Amino acid sequence: ELQQVEIFITPENTADTGQTSYNISDATIGQKTLEAKKFTGRSLLSGELEEDAVIDIIQYIVNSHSKGLALALDDAIINGQANTTSTDDDISGSRDVATAFNGLRHLSIDGGLTVDGGASALVSSKILDAAEVLDVWAQDENQLAVIVSPKAYRQLINEAGSTSNNNQVVFGMEGGQLTSINNIRIVKSSAVRKDVDETGVHSGTP
């Protein structure tokens, strides 16, 4: 991981003698260790099932595994909690996909990068508030994305079509689908939990 290069002010050289020396940046490259995580699924079936099935049962099972792996990865990216302090209370054990690595929700909570939604419907102003919390990391909206649940996505769609919407919020629409809010990309995922408490974690009392 390359650290940010340090920039200095150097006086102007006005002659071809006694050139001003440059300060040297001491940015270093830090070592990172990558640890592999493997998601697996297993199905057992008999030869009789394959022979008697009226559909291509093998392909059906392969498709089911592909979908299951994709949903598991989506869940881990959003809700993962390998070693966070904000812990959901319904993790089933060390082989639960949610323990593969730290996900976006828990990293945000542990880093203090949260916005209180007030237990109400998601509105565009909350998304813009969240971008403000990111401070300098949010200076280019084109590099941002917000992941919302299908329900929250529909709430934003309703807001986009409301006549009460002010001109300070620009909803990007394409083919009838909401794609962005003020250039912040909107991503819909069923892995976004709706059963968390006011601290953003599942504690049995959302």
Side-chain angles (χ1 to χ4, degrees):
E1 181 184 24
L2 179 63
Q3 296 180 349
Q4 178 63 49
V5 175
E6 189 174 3
I7 304 300
F8 304 95
I9 294 177
T10 300
E12 178 186 7
N13 287 318
T14 58
D16 194 27
T17 58
Q19 277 77 2
T20 305
S21 61
Y22 290 90
N23 291 55
I24 300 176
S25 175
D26 60 355
T28 59
I29 297 178
Q31 182 178 7
K32 291 293 184 181
T33 301
L34 300 180
E35 181 180 349
K37 298 289 185 178
K38 181 183 291 187
F39 290 4
T40 60
R42 184 185 184 194
S43 295
L44 299 177
L45 70 155
S46 65
E48 289 84 355
L49 176 61
E50 182 181 2
E51 293 175 358
D52 297 340
V54 296
I55 62 172
D56 185 348
I57 192 65
I58 300 298
Q59 188 59 52
Y60 177 81
I61 292 176
V62 169
N63 292 342
S64 296
H65 276 249
S66 298
K67 182 178 180 180
L69 289 170
L71 292 175
L73 181 59
D74 198 23
D75 185 24
I77 291 173
I78 296 174
N79 303 306
Q81 48 182 71
N83 55 8
T84 64
T85 58
S86 54
T87 305
D88 296 330
D89 67 354
D90 58 350
I91 300 301
S92 60
S94 61
R95 298 189 68 176
D96 192 313
V97 296
T99 64
F101 43 75
N102 293 328
L104 299 175
R105 174 164 58 94
H106 292 281
L107 288 173
S108 298
I109 295 171
D110 289 350
L113 303 173
T114 60
V115 172
D116 185 2
S120 58
L122 179 64
V123 292
S124 59
S125 61
K126 292 299 181 182
I127 293 177
L128 300 181
D129 288 345
E132 185 176 346
V133 169
L134 294 175
D135 198 22
V136 296
W137 301 105
Q139 60 183 341
D140 185 357
E141 291 87 353
N142 293 297
Q143 295 184 0
L144 300 181
V146 58
I147 306 173
V148 301
S149 69
K151 180 179 180 180
Y153 179 83
R154 290 191 295 272
Q155 292 168 344
L156 292 171
I157 285 283
N158 291 335
E159 181 186 353
S162 172
T163 56
S164 61
N165 175 42
N166 58 57
N167 294 327
Q168 294 179 344
V169 180
V170 179
F171 292 92
M173 304 290 293
E174 183 176 336
Q177 299 293 310
L178 177 63
T179 58
S180 65
I181 293 178
N182 282 19
N183 292 330
I184 300 174
R185 184 184 176 194
I186 303 298
V187 179
K188 179 172 54 174
S189 172
S190 59
V192 177
R193 300 193 66 157
K194 302 180 289 296
D195 54 353
V196 296
D197 60 22
E198 67 277 1
T199 66
V201 302
H202 185 280
S203 61
T205 56

